[in-house]
Amino acid sequence: MDLARAPRRMTALPSWLLAQAASASGRIVAAALGEAGAHRTHYAVLVALDERGPMSQSALSDSIGVDRSDMVRLLDVLGDDGLVVREPDSEDRRRNLIVLTPAGRARLRALDRVLATAQDDATARLTSDERDRLVDLLRKLLGA
């Protein structure tokens, strides 16, 4: 997006600028993950399981904001790749827990490297301090 060609009133709107930045950075991240044979939801599942441990499919859906009906297909793909497994929940035999496998941890480490490069590309015009400040401001804006 060439801001010089956009209407001035638009470039003064934080919401419009956020949307443009989100769109541009989203394309960078999607392309990087695509080249690695992954999708942002794959990464989100692996991260959630790595940080929080085994959890139900329902809790995982809620954790990363993926619709429960989409989660089944997503877990099937990750399971077929050997990155996650479904194991019976010892506390409730009616449900399964989704568990990150050692291959899933290795894949997550590889995707972490891919995303680090994509984040650098998406924020290349910012200094390190500006990037940290942007993250702080976005967290504040989102209520974190």
Side-chain angles (χ1 to χ4, degrees):
M1 151 103 346
D2 182 2
L3 288 181
R5 298 181 77 189
R8 265 186 299 161
R9 285 198 320 246
M10 297 301 290
T11 64
L13 298 172
S15 59
W16 187 82
L17 291 169
L18 282 168
Q20 299 308 306
S23 180
S25 63
R27 284 190 299 274
I28 291 168
V29 167
L33 287 172
E35 287 178 23
H39 185 272
R40 69 186 75 212
T41 55
H42 298 169
Y43 182 75
V45 166
L46 299 177
V47 166
L49 293 173
D50 186 56
E51 289 185 6
R52 297 189 177 138
M55 65 179 83
S56 71
Q57 185 172 307
S58 163
L60 183 56
S61 292
D62 293 343
S63 172
I64 64 171
V66 170
D67 187 83
R68 291 177 184 184
S69 62
D70 295 329
M71 184 60 70
V72 173
R73 287 185 298 277
L74 177 57
L75 293 175
D76 286 345
V77 168
L78 295 174
D80 289 346
D81 290 343
L83 306 178
V84 301
V85 293
R86 293 174 173 98
E87 294 183 354
D89 184 344
S90 62
E91 295 179 14
D92 183 349
R93 293 188 319 213
R94 294 171 296 168
R95 74 177 181 178
N96 287 320
L97 294 177
I98 310 305
V99 180
L100 187 63
T101 66
R105 286 191 205 299
R107 179 71 166 145
L108 177 57
R109 285 191 301 273
L111 292 177
D112 279 338
R113 290 188 296 275
V114 167
L115 275 179
T117 299
Q119 298 303 305
D120 289 344
D121 292 346
T123 60
R125 294 182 175 145
L126 302 177
T127 67
S128 178
D129 287 344
E130 288 170 334
R131 181 176 165 173
D132 292 344
R133 181 71 178 137
L134 176 62
V135 169
D136 289 343
L137 288 170
L138 290 170
R139 284 182 177 154
K140 183 176 183 178
L141 186 63
L142 294 170

